Amino acid sequence: MSQKGKFSNWLKTSITARMLVVGLLIVALLLPLSFVQSLIYERSFRQQEVVAEINNKWGEAVVFSGPILQIPYKTYVTEQVYDQATKETSTVTRTVVKKVFFLPATLDYKAQVTTKPLQRSIYETAVYSSEITTSGNFADIDFSLFDIPEEDVLWDKATLLLKTSNLKGIKSNLEIQLDDQVLAVSPIHSSSLMHSIESQPIKDLQQLTEAAIEFNFSFKINGSESLQFVPLGKDTKAAVVSNWDSPSFNGHFLPNDETKEISANGFKADWTIPQLSRKFEQQFLNSLPDLSEAAFGVKLVIPVDHYTQSERSSKYGFLVIGLTLLVFLLIQIVSKVYIHPFQYLLIGLALVLFYTLLVSISEHQNFNMAYLISGTATVGLVSLFAKAVLKSVKFGLLILGSMSALYGFIFTIIQLESYALLVGSVGLFLILAIIMFVTRKIDWSNES
């Protein structure tokens, strides 16, 4: 027998040779599997781009803060000025205007959030329109804390300041009711993340400070992803009602657990935040820091999208390919039926194409239906091919059952969140136990 014939016979009869061939094929199939995973990432990234563009045009995430009472005051700076002409030095006093910022004593935010889907081509995102009502009062407007004389306070220049991360999302007029005054507002230029809105000057503010100064206003705003508030009040309360059924409460403060409600029709949540829970005081001199880091609120979580589920499914691709080819190898060893390496390759490619079917169909159907269609097509194709190659209905049914169980197991894992690791670990342990039991009587040293 020639060397070529001996090698061919060794490939057909040797268990070691068949295991090496199957192992090499599994490794080789990781390359097209990685291409499929790259395709999923690319489609997912494209979805993120489209969603970000839709959200940007509609209105981005909203962080709202205010009102803040800002009152200018005069300070005096003494400088030595040298006159080149007279060769004399004189003392000059100039006036510099600075500001004191007072936060509300009580602050109550109320938001009614109505969500709706927006779609472009095959991509969809959830946006919302919100009616925000804000009320409260200012108290203890005291300049003696800063040793500022009353005569240096510019009461007639005092204004109210609002801040928001989504200025263009505001879709209604906004006027602030301050005691018996109605104050118009206008945006002021700012390069920071939080855009500023300033009211017209407040009339007779010095007389108003003799008692608590009440305020209230409301406005409509379009947004997406999340809605957050900054707890400026010495005592801050907030309440959000929405028709969204998948909220995620985020930021520095969680809502009151006793009154929080989440159902298929939406959610209700409220917060109560005392001053001691914050990390900042009620007055600021000369500059106002960025307080948005203390924001709290709700993120409107979009349930796991099909790209994320497809990506999670593809991570088990090596397991599916390896176990399926292992089943064919065991059948070949037990039945003495020869399976050509090219036939193994065709089976492996069919298993890889399952993921391209899954991601493409899921773009037009819900993920569960896409998984069912793709899985049925792949399992049916490989089972019919196995029946033809192995020339046995029994082995074809064995492949059908084992692949159906495997795809069902993978589907169960990707649907779970908290218990995915536990179920996956137990399932893999059972699969290994079954393989060990089935192969216990095989003579691996028999090379013919």
Side-chain angles (χ1 to χ4, degrees):
M1 184 180 294
S2 66
Q3 288 295 113
K4 183 177 180 181
K6 289 181 180 180
F7 180 75
S8 177
N9 185 63
W10 180 70
L11 284 178
K12 290 181 180 180
T13 59
S14 171
I15 294 177
T16 302
R18 283 175 281 183
M19 290 179 64
L20 286 173
V21 169
V22 171
L24 290 173
L25 279 174
I26 292 174
V27 173
L29 287 168
L30 291 179
L31 181 60
L33 183 62
S34 68
F35 291 156
V36 173
Q37 290 175 334
S38 298
L39 173 65
I40 296 173
Y41 296 147
E42 179 186 336
R43 301 294 289 179
S44 178
F45 183 71
R46 174 58 182 162
Q47 181 196 40
Q48 293 173 12
E49 284 185 326
V50 174
V51 167
E53 185 178 347
I54 295 172
N55 291 348
N56 181 59
K57 291 181 178 180
W58 174 267
E60 297 177 335
V62 174
V63 180
F64 182 74
S65 172
I68 300 166
L69 179 60
Q70 56 178 10
I71 306 176
Y73 68 96
K74 294 185 291 186
T75 61
Y76 304 96
V77 178
T78 301
E79 298 177 342
Q80 298 293 323
V81 178
Y82 179 73
D83 191 332
Q84 290 285 355
T86 62
K87 306 298 183 181
E88 293 181 354
T89 301
S90 59
T91 301
V92 176
T93 301
R94 61 185 181 89
T95 301
V96 177
V97 176
K98 297 184 179 180
K99 294 178 180 178
V100 179
F101 300 89
F102 294 94
L103 306 187
T106 64
L107 182 60
D108 190 358
Y109 298 112
K110 288 185 173 65
Q112 179 72 45
V113 180
T114 303
T115 63
K116 69 174 185 178
L118 282 185
Q119 190 169 8
R120 177 184 296 175
S121 184
I122 61 174
Y123 303 109
E124 185 176 81
T125 183
V127 298
Y128 66 83
S129 295
S130 179
E131 176 87 26
I132 297 178
T133 301
T134 306
S135 60
N137 66 60
F138 291 98
D140 303 323
I141 309 302
D142 187 2
F143 280 86
S144 63
L145 297 171
F146 308 106
D147 295 325
I148 299 173
E150 286 284 340
E151 60 271 16
D152 290 336
V153 179
L154 303 175
W155 294 100
D156 58 335
K157 302 294 184 182
T159 58
L160 291 177
L161 190 66
L162 309 176
K163 287 183 173 290
T164 179
S165 62
N166 186 5
L167 191 62
K168 71 178 182 181
I170 297 177
K171 298 302 177 183
S172 68
N173 292 327
L174 198 168
E175 293 180 331
I176 302 175
Q177 181 78 39
L178 187 72
D179 273 359
D180 58 352
Q181 298 182 47
V182 177
L183 304 176
V185 299
S186 59
I188 56 178
H189 176 71
S190 173
S191 58
S192 63
L193 175 64
M194 295 290 284
H195 306 287
S196 298
I197 303 172
E198 188 174 15
S199 76
Q200 65 186 97
I202 303 168
K203 298 178 182 178
D204 304 320
L205 178 60
Q206 188 171 12
Q207 287 73 31
L208 295 177
T209 58
E210 296 174 1
I213 309 171
E214 303 291 332
F215 64 83
N216 68 82
F217 58 90
S218 63
F219 62 98
K220 295 180 180 179
I221 189 168
N222 287 346
S224 60
E225 296 183 7
S226 66
L227 174 63
Q228 292 187 313
F229 302 99
V230 179
L232 297 181
K234 194 172 185 179
D235 292 298
T236 301
K237 294 181 179 180
V240 179
V241 178
S242 175
N243 62 337
W244 190 254
D245 60 357
S246 301
S248 173
F249 302 105
N250 58 358
H252 276 249
F253 305 96
L254 293 176
N256 300 320
D257 194 57
E258 298 80 7
T259 55
K260 181 179 64 179
E261 297 179 16
I262 302 175
S263 68
N265 297 321
F267 73 89
K268 296 180 181 179
D270 61 84
W271 292 257
T272 302
I273 304 169
Q275 180 186 9
L276 289 176
S277 298
R278 307 174 332 194
K279 295 182 179 180
F280 52 87
E281 58 273 28
Q282 284 297 112
Q283 305 88 13
F284 294 95
L285 187 65
N286 301 332
S287 64
L288 184 66
D290 181 10
L291 304 178
S292 62
E293 294 180 354
F296 64 93
V298 60
K299 183 177 181 181
L300 306 180
V301 175
I302 298 177
V304 178
D305 66 86
H306 57 88
Y307 290 118
T308 302
Q309 291 176 308
S310 296
E311 179 187 343
R312 292 178 63 186
S313 178
S314 70
K315 290 179 180 179
Y316 295 95
F318 177 78
L319 176 66
V320 173
I321 294 171
L323 288 177
T324 303
L325 294 187
L326 177 61
V327 171
F328 274 93
L329 176 62
L330 293 177
I331 291 174
Q332 180 182 5
I333 293 172
V334 172
S335 66
K336 307 299 183 181
V337 175
Y338 178 64
I339 302 177
H340 194 276
F342 182 72
Q343 291 172 319
Y344 275 111
L345 179 62
L346 290 177
I347 296 167
L349 290 176
L351 299 175
V352 172
L353 285 175
F354 162 79
Y355 299 102
T356 60
L357 283 175
L358 178 62
V359 70
S360 59
I361 297 174
S362 66
E363 290 182 338
H364 303 278
Q365 292 282 342
N366 67 70
F367 179 81
N368 293 352
M369 180 58 68
Y371 194 96
L372 177 63
I373 295 172
S374 305
T376 302
T378 304
V379 171
L381 175 63
V382 175
S383 300
L384 290 173
F385 186 70
K387 175 181 174 296
V389 171
L390 301 173
K391 298 178 177 59
S392 170
V393 175
K394 178 180 66 174
F395 288 139
L397 291 176
L398 177 61
I399 294 297
L400 176 65
S402 59
M403 288 188 65
S404 297
L406 182 58
Y407 277 111
F409 171 62
I410 300 300
F411 180 78
T412 301
I413 292 177
I414 62 178
Q415 295 300 312
L416 297 174
E417 293 183 6
S418 302
Y419 296 97
L421 179 60
L422 175 62
V423 173
S425 301
V426 172
L428 290 176
F429 181 84
L430 292 176
I431 290 172
L432 178 61
I434 292 171
I435 294 173
M436 292 173 69
F437 178 80
V438 170
T439 60
R440 71 192 188 282
K441 293 184 178 180
I442 295 178
D443 183 8
W444 298 102
S445 63
N446 183 11
E447 294 294 308
S448 61

